[in-house]
Amino acid sequence: MEGKVVIVTGAGSGIGRAASLLFAEKGARVAVVDLDPAGGAETVEQIERGKGEAILIEADVSSTDQVQAMVRKTVDAFGRLDYAFNNAGVEAGLIPLDQYAEEVWDRTLSVNLTGVWLCMKYEIPEMLKTGGGAIVNASSAAGVIGVPQHYAYVASKHGVVGITKSAALEFGGQGIRVNCVCPGMIDTPMTERFVPDGARPMLEEGHALKRFGTAQEVAETVVWLCSDAASFVTGHAMLIDGGITAQ
Ligand code: NAP
């Protein structure tokens, strides 16, 4: 990935940070994008400590203006855009349907689904200028199965699978591959917030591999999907879920 440029959103924490570090290790220059500048700055620092190259961009992926600016700043700094990991996302907790607030629904959809769509909308024209590229979007195991009381998150992640396939079909002929990853439970700050006290053993048991995954395990797949090793893979929703959806 020497000479290549990647945008990673939600790069200040968890899976996004692990992917940013791995892209940098493979030689890519990384635009580290996050709502949280402190987390993003820490990721940039870690990349630079490893002799990689990165810039920090503070942006909310649910804002059209900020996503446009994110792409512009990346190209201004590095001259091109080859890969994107549209990873920023939020969870909303488990809420019974009759108590589900529309604000929670709207905010979750606007970050997890509209955010991914906006990123693709402004990233792809830049990739086309240099003859193509590869995009990985963040879906979830909850993008292929239902989860009781998890309405907005499940809807957003199913939506990501759909728009991933649509973009793969629209741009495959122009050298752009678009895939998404569908992780099971991964040990990150999001999971720490989401998993209720004492529920972890039961959730681990639900995975065929009887454990949560690591951010590094997801990052390895994301970087592989962007690499030339995956040159005939597009429109795919790749489970990295320890077998939680195998039953
Ligand atoms: P995380 O540790 O919470 O990291 C997500 C990062 O995204 C945070 O730094 C967060 O900033 C940032 N972010 C949130 N909203 C944003 C916005 N509107 N614009 C830009 N950045 C924003 O989560 P993670 O576990 O690494 O999850 C990464 C992705 O994987 C998400 O899309 C998630 O849904 C998906 N996923 C995670 C799991 C899991 O088990 N962890 C499983 C399946 C799928 P703040 O901290 O400031 O909010």
Side-chain angles (χ1 to χ4, degrees):
M1 293 180 167
E2 293 293 338
K4 304 288 190 187
V5 175
V6 60
I7 284 176
V8 180
T9 69
S13 177
I15 295 168
R17 173 174 291 161
S20 299
L21 293 170
L22 192 57
F23 274 115
E25 206 182 296
K26 303 282 181 196
R29 290 166 289 168
V30 188
V32 168
V33 180
D34 209 288
L35 200 54
D36 166 23
E42 172 60 28
T43 303
V44 170
E45 222 177 283
Q46 288 188 25
I47 289 174
E48 289 175 347
R49 246 183 273 140
K51 307 279 179 248
E53 215 181 316
I55 53 164
L56 172 62
I57 299 174
E58 191 179 337
D60 179 343
V61 296
S62 66
S63 153
T64 305
D65 291 349
Q66 292 184 39
V67 170
Q68 274 185 296
M70 164 191 94
V71 173
R72 199 174 51 246
K73 284 176 190 168
T74 302
V75 175
D76 284 352
F78 296 135
R80 56 187 292 138
L81 180 62
D82 302 282
Y83 313 128
F85 179 30
N86 299 320
N87 159 78
V90 291
E91 52 80 24
L94 303 179
I95 310 169
L97 185 56
D98 62 352
Q99 291 157 39
Y100 215 101
E102 280 184 51
E103 297 74 37
V104 174
W105 173 270
D106 289 344
R107 179 66 189 153
T108 308
L109 269 289
S110 75
V111 176
N112 293 7
L113 181 56
T114 309
V116 167
W117 178 74
L118 282 173
C119 285
M120 290 199 294
K121 180 173 175 182
Y122 294 105
E123 289 160 354
I124 287 174
E126 280 307 325
M127 292 179 176
L128 290 174
K129 288 179 188 168
T130 52
I135 292 177
V136 177
N137 295 321
S139 180
S140 167
V144 296
I145 57 170
V147 181
Q149 303 186 344
H150 213 18
Y151 292 99
Y153 190 82
V154 163
S156 67
K157 297 302 186 180
H158 274 70
V160 167
V161 173
I163 62 174
T164 295
K165 291 177 179 176
S166 295
L169 290 168
E170 183 173 354
F171 296 102
Q174 294 167 82
I176 295 189
R177 295 184 297 105
V178 189
N179 294 289
C180 63
V181 284
C182 301
M185 301 292 304
I186 306 298
D187 264 320
T188 69
M190 178 185 280
T191 310
E192 275 165 33
R193 292 190 299 271
F194 178 72
V195 174
D197 283 345
R200 185 174 173 124
M202 185 257 295
L203 290 168
E204 285 180 331
E205 191 57 30
H207 295 69
L209 297 179
K210 308 299 178 198
R211 65 173 176 88
F212 287 4
T214 66
Q216 185 67 22
E217 287 172 313
V218 181
E220 294 283 354
T221 310
V222 169
V223 170
W224 178 78
L225 281 169
C226 284
S227 77
D228 289 346
S231 52
F232 202 51
V233 183
T234 197
H236 185 52
M238 179 164 279
L239 293 164
I240 313 162
D241 72 344
I244 198 170
T245 59
Q247 51 209 314

